[in-house]
Amino acid sequence: MTAPAAPLALLAELTHRCPLRCPYCSNPTALTRPGEELDTATWARVFREAAELGCLQVHLSGGEPTARRDIADLVRAAGGAGLYTNLITSGVLTGEAKLAALAEAGLDHVQLSVQDAEPGSADRIGGYRGGHARKLEFARHVQDAGLPLTLNAVVHRQNLDRLPAMIDLALALGAARMEVAHVQYYGWALANRDALLPTRAQLEAATATVEAARRDLKGRLVIDYVVPDYYAKRPKPCMGGWGRQFLAVSPAGRVLPCHAAESLPGFAFPNVRETSLRAAWEESEAFNRFRGTGWMPELCRGCERAEQDWGGCRCQAFALTGDAANTDPACALSPHHAVLSLAVGAAAEAGEGFTYREPQRDVHRVPG
């Protein structure tokens, strides 16, 4: 078998600890405990191996990556390995002094998440009182430190109507890039799908808002737009295709083709405690199982888009059909495509209460 091309980026999920309890969190519902996390030296080795494998950048994520006391050491280790470092953060745990330490350690870029533009709604969605104000303060520190900023707005039924205000917020905070990312339904988001799925009217309005903003703000703000699959006719090439462009390492050291892959049963994902990143990427059965097109059902193999969408999302196929090898239901040709319409219909009848992300899975439901 020909060795796969080098991955573009590593998603380093440093911890599942997080002060926020976002109901759309992509972390698995069974969260890794702090005592099970990789230590500093192991992460430093992973960063060196990622660079040797050909990765160009590392996204330091979680949970909340700054919950780790060694975060500055990890930034330094990643930069020392030659990787471009992007901190994906909620911003609520990082004051001016900590951010200065991260900048001194060589941090290249900050990606800040926001839950809404309206403080009360933002704090309710994030499950963290005063969190929105802390995010705004953190963003000012990022500006003062001279670090480039991307604002990541995760959008859904309960905040989409304020998308124009979120775009204005990105401009006010000095962001050069914004990600308008519709919720993707894995992990905690799947448990909260009925409360989060937007209506078609909301989706169409949001798309029009993004298109207008891209036109009007050209040269000032770059807007990336990730749409939900539940109104789609064709699937997206999830993560650029299984095992094609990205790999993730979980807090406990499992090497994954995407951050949600732990939801799939029947996989023995390699662990960096026992194997090298190169061996995991090139040789493991878990990565090779859905690479390319040979694994695809006949319906997909004969499709002219087979090497464009690479079969769509395996995690979504499993979540909606019970079999990760099935055609992604986002494809209109899938025999399971109707499950998306059923989900949209169920969401239209649902309330707005959330099952919040909780470390011990002792879920706390708050009415809308």
Side-chain angles (χ1 to χ4, degrees), residues 4 22 37 48 69 90 127 240 249 282 337 356:
C22 300
E37 295 172 2
R48 292 193 300 271
R69 294 181 180 179
S90 68
V249 176
E282 295 182 351
H337 185 66
Y356 283 95

Side-chain angles (χ1 to χ4, degrees), residues 208-291:
T209 295
V210 169
E211 290 174 351
R214 282 173 166 171
R215 180 185 63 248
D216 297 341
L217 300 174
K218 187 175 182 179
R220 296 178 59 196
L221 183 68
V222 175
I223 302 179
D224 296 328
Y225 187 48
V226 180
V227 298
D229 288 330
Y230 280 62
Y231 293 102
K233 298 298 183 183
R234 293 290 183 268
K236 296 192 294 288
C238 185
M239 303 295 287
W242 179 281
R244 286 180 51 79
Q245 296 183 3
F246 297 94
L247 76 166
V249 176
S250 77
R254 284 179 286 276
V255 190
L256 308 166
C258 77
H259 57 279
E262 284 185 283
S263 67
L264 301 178
F267 280 81
F269 290 110
N271 195 297
V272 295
R273 289 187 168 107
E274 302 158 355
T275 189
S276 71
L277 209 59
R278 181 177 296 277
W281 175 255
E282 295 182 351
E283 302 169 13
S284 69
E285 189 277 337
F287 272 79
N288 284 316
R289 187 182 301 188
F290 294 129
R291 267 196 177 117

Side-chain angles (χ1 to χ4, degrees), residues 104-306:
E104 189 278 330
L107 182 65
D108 292 305
H109 184 273
V110 174
Q111 182 172 323
L112 173 65
S113 65
V114 293
Q115 281 67 46
D116 204 330
E118 196 282 310
S121 176
D123 289 352
R124 184 184 78 86
I125 293 168
Y128 188 83
R129 184 172 297 174
H132 187 70
R134 290 193 178 197
K135 289 171 181 287
L136 301 187
E137 181 181 6
F138 172 76
R140 288 192 289 271
H141 294 325
V142 173
Q143 279 189 300
D144 293 342
L147 289 168
L149 174 66
T150 292
L151 197 71
N152 181 33
V154 181
V155 294
H156 46 83
R157 189 171 80 213
Q158 299 193 37
N159 66 7
L160 254 183
D161 295 339
R162 289 179 292 281
L163 178 56
M166 286 186 264
I167 294 173
D168 289 342
L169 180 62
L171 292 169
L173 296 179
R177 179 180 293 273
M178 180 180 189
E179 290 189 5
V180 178
H182 284 266
V183 168
Q184 305 297 302
Y185 295 96
Y186 324 110
W188 294 89
L190 186 60
N192 285 290
R193 185 177 64 186
D194 286 353
L196 294 168
L197 262 175
T199 65
R200 180 174 289 277
Q202 282 185 308
L203 175 60
E204 291 174 350
T207 301
T209 295
V210 169
E211 290 174 351
R214 282 173 166 171
R215 180 185 63 248
D216 297 341
L217 300 174
K218 187 175 182 179
R220 296 178 59 196
L221 183 68
V222 175
I223 302 179
D224 296 328
Y225 187 48
V226 180
V227 298
D229 288 330
Y230 280 62
Y231 293 102
K233 298 298 183 183
R234 293 290 183 268
K236 296 192 294 288
C238 185
M239 303 295 287
W242 179 281
R244 286 180 51 79
Q245 296 183 3
F246 297 94
L247 76 166
V249 176
S250 77
R254 284 179 286 276
V255 190
L256 308 166
C258 77
H259 57 279
E262 284 185 283
S263 67
L264 301 178
F267 280 81
F269 290 110
N271 195 297
V272 295
R273 289 187 168 107
E274 302 158 355
T275 189
S276 71
L277 209 59
R278 181 177 296 277
W281 175 255
E282 295 182 351
E283 302 169 13
S284 69
E285 189 277 337
F287 272 79
N288 284 316
R289 187 182 301 188
F290 294 129
R291 267 196 177 117
T293 60
W295 63 271
M296 292 181 178
E298 184 176 353
L299 174 67
C300 299
R301 284 202 305 271
C303 177
E304 62 182 12
R305 294 175 55 88

Side-chain angles (χ1 to χ4, degrees), residues 277-350:
L277 209 59
R278 181 177 296 277
W281 175 255
E282 295 182 351
E283 302 169 13
S284 69
E285 189 277 337
F287 272 79
N288 284 316
R289 187 182 301 188
F290 294 129
R291 267 196 177 117
T293 60
W295 63 271
M296 292 181 178
E298 184 176 353
L299 174 67
C300 299
R301 284 202 305 271
C303 177
E304 62 182 12
R305 294 175 55 88
E307 295 189 12
Q308 297 175 35
D309 58 42
W310 300 103
C313 179
R314 299 302 88 220
C315 299
Q316 182 160 267
F318 171 73
L320 296 179
T321 76
D323 187 345
N326 279 337
T327 299
D328 187 338
C331 179
L333 300 177
S334 166
H336 303 283
H337 185 66
V339 301
L340 302 183
S341 297
L342 293 174
V344 170
E349 303 297 325

